[in-house]
């Protein structure tokens, strides 16, 4: 399988070892429980209106520090403003403006996604992102992912 290469903006993220370990531990737990071929955790930067990856299960492709800046208005309203998790259960939703690099996701056969919001005291901090094959996720999957996302708030709050 050939995965298309992509360019993205990048920023250095100085994560303390304890924070990196906690992110990795929670990511491993949610991947084992809910399932995912790709798991990432993204931190919201309100000043720039973008997400920065602070964990990736595929760091060679989706590296830590990668910036998602082309976020669709519908996704922003759904996740950032209303603080509701986003479920993309099929390829049509993956191909929406909620996701960048659709060609890469398609090449990896990633046709379903959960963006479980991470919220702390009414403030959107970021997302726990799970991606898998089309049809892999349901509303029940989202609820389970949200339980893990809640455990990430303390770590993201300190960034």
């Amino acid at each position: 399988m050939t995965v298309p290469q992509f360019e993205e903006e990048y920023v250095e993220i100085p994560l303390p070892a304890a924070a990196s370990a906690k992110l990795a531990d929670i990511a491993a737990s949610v991947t084992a429980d809910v399932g995912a071929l790709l798991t990432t955790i993204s931190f919201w930067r309100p000043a720039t209106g973008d997400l920065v990856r602070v964990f990736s299960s595929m760091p060679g492709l989706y590296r830590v520090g990668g910036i998602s800046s082309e976020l669709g208005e519908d996704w922003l309203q759904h996740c950032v403003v209303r603080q509701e998790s986003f479920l993309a259960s099929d390829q049509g939703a993956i191909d929406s403006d909620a996701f960048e690099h659709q060609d890469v996701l398609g090449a990896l056969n990633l046709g379903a996604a959960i963006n479980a919001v991470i919220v702390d005291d009414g403030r959107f901090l970021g997302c726990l992102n799970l991606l898998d094959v089309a049809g892999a996720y349901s509303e029940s999957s989202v609820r389970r992912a949200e339980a893990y996302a809640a455990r990430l708030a303390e770590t993201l709050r300190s960034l």
Side-chain angles (χ1 to χ4, degrees), residues 17-104:
S20 290
K22 182 157 187 172
L23 295 175
D25 180 57
I26 293 171
S29 295
V30 71
T31 299
D33 179 16
V34 180
L37 295 173
L38 171 62
T39 302
T40 66
I41 300 168
S42 301
F43 176 69
W44 175 249
R45 299 190 306 173
T48 51
D50 58 23
L51 290 165
V52 176
R53 205 172 301 112
V54 294
F55 173 84
S56 175
S57 65
M58 291 184 182
L61 185 60
Y62 284 100
R63 66 183 178 164
V64 170
I67 300 171
S68 294
S69 58
E70 296 178 24
L71 304 168
E73 187 58 35
D74 289 342
W75 186 91
L76 288 167
Q77 285 296 315
H78 192 92
C79 293
V80 179
V81 176
R82 293 195 315 263
Q83 299 176 353
E84 297 172 354
S85 295
F86 182 81
L87 170 63
S89 57
D90 59 29
Q91 194 63 48
I94 292 289
D95 290 339
S96 73
D97 66 357
F99 298 93
E100 296 178 329
H101 319 298
Q102 286 96 344
D103 54 341
V104 176

